[in-house]
Amino acid sequence: MENSEIGVSSLQNRTLPIFKVREYFDRLMKLNYDRVNIDWYKIQYVSDLERQPDGTYVGVITIYQRFRDSIRKRA
């Protein structure tokens, strides 16, 4: 959905900045990694689901993801 948001925390920084999903992936694409692997796991919390007139659902879903990156050593 166009207005979906994602909160991003890390092991180094416990703040939770919020991004639009499109902005999150745009920022991810700009990182200088040779490879990125994102594992989604532990769908922990689903609440406030409401059916929309177009048949889709809007609500709050908490999902954990593990982000791993790699950078090849440059000669």
Side-chain angles (χ1 to χ4, degrees), residues 54-66:
D54 65 359
T56 61
Y57 286 85
V58 174
V60 176
I61 302 173
T62 301
I63 301 172
Y64 289 84
Q65 61 177 214
R66 181 176 296 116

Side-chain angles (χ1 to χ4, degrees), residues 8-15 33 67 69:
V8 180
S9 65
S10 72
L11 296 175
Q12 291 78 28
N13 185 356
R14 292 294 183 183
T15 64
Y33 297 124
F67 176 95
D69 60 69

Side-chain angles (χ1 to χ4, degrees), residues 2 13-14 18 21-23 25 28 31 46 53 55-57 60-61 63 66 73:
E2 186 68 28
N13 185 356
R14 292 294 183 183
I18 305 295
V21 172
R22 168 58 60 197
E23 179 186 2
F25 284 112
L28 187 62
L31 297 175
V46 178
T56 61
Y57 286 85
V60 176
I61 302 173
I63 301 172
R66 181 176 296 116
K73 291 183 180 179

Side-chain angles (χ1 to χ4, degrees), residues 5-63:
E5 295 176 328
I6 185 168
V8 180
S9 65
S10 72
L11 296 175
Q12 291 78 28
N13 185 356
R14 292 294 183 183
T15 64
L16 190 70
I18 305 295
F19 300 98
K20 297 287 186 192
V21 172
R22 168 58 60 197
E23 179 186 2
Y24 168 75
F25 284 112
D26 287 344
R27 290 168 59 96
L28 187 62
M29 293 297 293
K30 292 177 184 176
L31 297 175
N32 193 24
Y33 297 124
D34 293 313
R35 180 183 168 98
V36 169
N37 185 43
I38 299 174
D39 296 316
W40 296 72
Y41 66 98
K42 196 175 176 184
I43 299 175
Q44 183 177 2
Y45 183 71
V46 178
S47 69
D48 303 325
L49 290 179
E50 294 182 10
R51 188 177 179 125
Q52 302 300 299
D54 65 359
T56 61
Y57 286 85
V58 174
V60 176
I61 302 173
T62 301
I63 301 172

